[in-house]
Amino acid sequence: MASEREVFGLSGPLHLNNIDWNNSHHRRSVAASLVEGVYILERDRQEKREGSQALAPPWWEFFHFKLVRKLVDDADFAIFGAIYEYKPPSSHFNDSIVSIDRSPRYVIAFRGTITKPDSFTRDFELDVHIIRNGLHQTSRFEIGMQAVRNMVATVGDNNVWLAGHSLGAAMVMLAGKTMAKMGNFLEAFLFNPPFLSAPIERIKDKKVKHGLRIAGSVITAGLAIAAKGKNPRSRSEDPFAALSAWTPSLFVNPADHICSEYVGYFEHRKKMEEIGAGAIERLATQHSLGGLFMSVVGRGAEVAEPLHLLPCANLTLNLSPSNDFKQAHGLHQWWRPDLNLKCTIYKFK
């Protein structure tokens, strides 16, 4: 039985019947809808909905996209991603030349975890890999990464967008950073990207919160110096330098504890610069406390780059009230026309 949220005509952004690609709200809403299309593709597969019964196509066809390829996991054969091609009517090119300029040619989208038996076991396994900072070692990521590499090699980085939600946003984060280190800077939309750390952002007292973040930075920086002594090769590595030219768009709800730490992550770096402790924070923010501890005590040969490492970002916060965690973490919020948004661009080199 299909839920109302799966039906585009009931829960999709029907108000966007004329896309202005120069409008950030339109771009965000279309990207989120294409990710939702991946969720529904997998639900169609699970429910054996085919042909006229399939619910996924309207999620991309409404915006004049064509499904080029489904990305399928080799472990459970679940659909976790999709490649879309933008195919607007010819009249759009004649009437909206300026608007078309910022449109994508292709969008590669990745869904997040589905809590249904057919896909939950594999999705949960990948969620654990995120916690262990090992998503880059999974076959699902390699399948997705190869799709991104092939598309960029074929059409160029200016013609490819990446979009993902939750687990899918983690996939986009890794793929985007990998491509950025190769000099390819893809436009990326990360909805509710996971940030794994102590839930400091949920503390109401600003002084306590700021004090805990400073203490965490000092401890992390100290462990990073100790880890470098054990792994001399890391001395010449500078992840920030390689990534500083990439500015992905992050969409975060402060009421969602899975992604809310991005709020403090960027603000804390700014404050550390202001008090003259920028060097400490620059070192600390490039590492995860857990990974460093394991390296220092000899349990890890190499300190993996933390998933959340980002020098720059266009951070959009949804400050609209959320009824519960499910709504705060949900994808549907990002195409609502009545959002209370706060947008900030962070540049940190």
Side-chain angles (χ1 to χ4, degrees), residues 50 90 117 167 172 196 208 233:
E50 301 177 349
S90 57
L167 168 60
V172 170
L196 299 168
V208 172
R233 288 183 303 169

Side-chain angles (χ1 to χ4, degrees), residues 280-302:
I280 293 175
E281 183 57 22
R282 179 183 175 86
L283 182 57
T285 198
Q286 297 181 44
H287 300 86
S288 68
L289 197 56
L292 285 170
F293 178 77
M294 296 302 289
S295 177
V296 170
V297 299
R299 296 287 297 278
E302 184 178 348

Side-chain angles (χ1 to χ4, degrees), residues 216-269:
S217 293
V218 172
I219 294 171
T220 303
L223 285 173
I225 293 171
K228 283 186 177 182
K230 287 179 169 285
N231 183 15
R233 288 183 303 169
S234 65
R235 294 182 185 276
S236 60
E237 297 173 0
D238 187 354
F240 268 33
L243 297 173
S244 60
W246 185 51
T247 308
S249 297
L250 274 62
F251 301 94
V252 169
N253 190 319
D256 173 15
H257 63 264
I258 289 178
C259 65
S260 62
E261 283 303 304
Y262 274 108
V263 181
Y265 174 71
F266 290 109
E267 279 300 308
H268 176 60
R269 291 195 321 206

Side-chain angles (χ1 to χ4, degrees), residues 72-279:
V72 179
D73 195 299
D74 62 349
D76 64 354
F77 306 106
I79 299 167
F80 69 88
I83 302 175
Y84 304 101
E85 182 181 8
Y86 184 48
K87 302 285 286 186
S90 57
S91 60
H92 283 220
F93 289 104
N94 297 328
D95 300 337
S96 308
I97 296 297
V98 175
S99 179
I100 288 294
D101 284 347
R102 293 203 64 180
S103 66
R105 184 174 171 189
Y106 292 92
V107 178
I108 305 177
F110 301 98
R111 67 166 174 83
T113 301
I114 293 179
T115 58
K116 300 294 182 181
D118 287 351
S119 55
F120 178 69
T121 300
R122 174 61 167 166
D123 288 353
F124 180 73
E125 175 189 334
L126 292 161
D127 290 335
V128 172
H129 277 290
I130 293 177
I131 295 173
R132 296 174 59 188
N133 203 25
L135 184 61
H136 60 290
Q137 299 172 329
T138 65
S139 60
R140 178 182 290 189
F141 172 70
E142 186 50 43
I143 293 169
M145 188 68 244
Q146 192 59 51
V148 173
R149 288 193 195 99
N150 291 344
M151 188 57 64
V152 170
T154 303
V155 303
D157 57 358
N158 289 331
N159 294 308
V160 179
W161 284 11
L162 301 179
H165 173 246
S166 193
L167 168 60
M171 297 271 289
V172 170
M173 183 83 78
L174 277 175
K177 292 201 295 184
T178 301
M179 297 306 295
K181 291 174 182 177
M182 299 167 59
N184 298 301
F185 307 107
L186 307 182
E187 185 153 0
F189 298 79
L190 296 92
F191 300 98
N192 303 82
F195 189 121
L196 299 168
S197 75
I200 298 175
E201 193 58 33
R202 302 178 73 178
I203 298 173
K204 301 302 182 182
D205 190 308
K206 292 184 177 180
K207 290 184 178 179
V208 172
K209 183 159 51 177
H210 186 44
L212 286 173
R213 291 197 186 281
I214 291 176
S217 293
V218 172
I219 294 171
T220 303
L223 285 173
I225 293 171
K228 283 186 177 182
K230 287 179 169 285
N231 183 15
R233 288 183 303 169
S234 65
R235 294 182 185 276
S236 60
E237 297 173 0
D238 187 354
F240 268 33
L243 297 173
S244 60
W246 185 51
T247 308
S249 297
L250 274 62
F251 301 94
V252 169
N253 190 319
D256 173 15
H257 63 264
I258 289 178
C259 65
S260 62
E261 283 303 304
Y262 274 108
V263 181
Y265 174 71
F266 290 109
E267 279 300 308
H268 176 60
R269 291 195 321 206
K270 181 179 176 182
K271 290 178 180 177
M272 290 290 276
E273 287 283 336
E274 291 173 352
I275 65 174

